[in-house]
Amino acid sequence: MPFHLSEKLLLGFLLAMNLLSFCLMGLDKRRAVKGQWRISERALLLFGFFGGSLGGLLGMFLFRHKTKHRKFTVLMPLFLVFHMALLCLPLLAGRFQGGIS
């Protein structure tokens, strides 16, 4: 079954957000080590909220960055669960579209 344009756009957006979120975690970690200007926690969390939660989580653990901050260890996984639920909704809606017997 081929993907519709809207599905391709959504997948492309999510891929870009996750890649960007992952890279921002790495960049912020590098800047933290060097004592340079940092990316705000708010910005990192916003990228996670708007679709980059998996990339943010992977970046957190690969770069060992923000893993001791409760805000990140709670919110990033919650964002991921939320995103997974949103992605599963169309599948569930299609399954029950005929009504419940």
Side-chain angles (χ1 to χ4, degrees), residues 21 25 41-54 56-57 60-61 66-84:
S21 188
M25 282 290 181
E41 289 186 350
R42 181 179 182 201
L44 294 172
L45 287 169
L46 281 172
F47 275 95
F49 178 77
F50 286 110
S53 55
L54 181 59
L57 274 171
M60 282 173 59
F61 291 103
K66 303 288 186 192
T67 55
K68 293 182 180 179
H69 294 250
R70 181 173 294 278
K71 181 177 353 184
F72 282 86
T73 59
V74 170
L75 289 177
M76 282 292 191
L78 281 176
F79 295 160
L80 182 59
V81 168
F82 175 70
H83 296 144
M84 297 307 290

Side-chain angles (χ1 to χ4, degrees), residues 1 7 11 16 21 25 41 88 92 98-99:
M1 172 169 67
E7 293 168 329
L11 290 175
S21 188
M25 282 290 181
E41 289 186 350
C88 290
L92 293 173

Side-chain angles (χ1 to χ4, degrees), residues 8-22 51-52 55:
K8 288 179 184 178
L9 289 173
L10 177 62
L11 290 175
F13 172 77
L14 290 174
L15 179 63
M17 287 301 288
N18 279 289
L19 184 60
L20 189 55
S21 188
F22 178 81

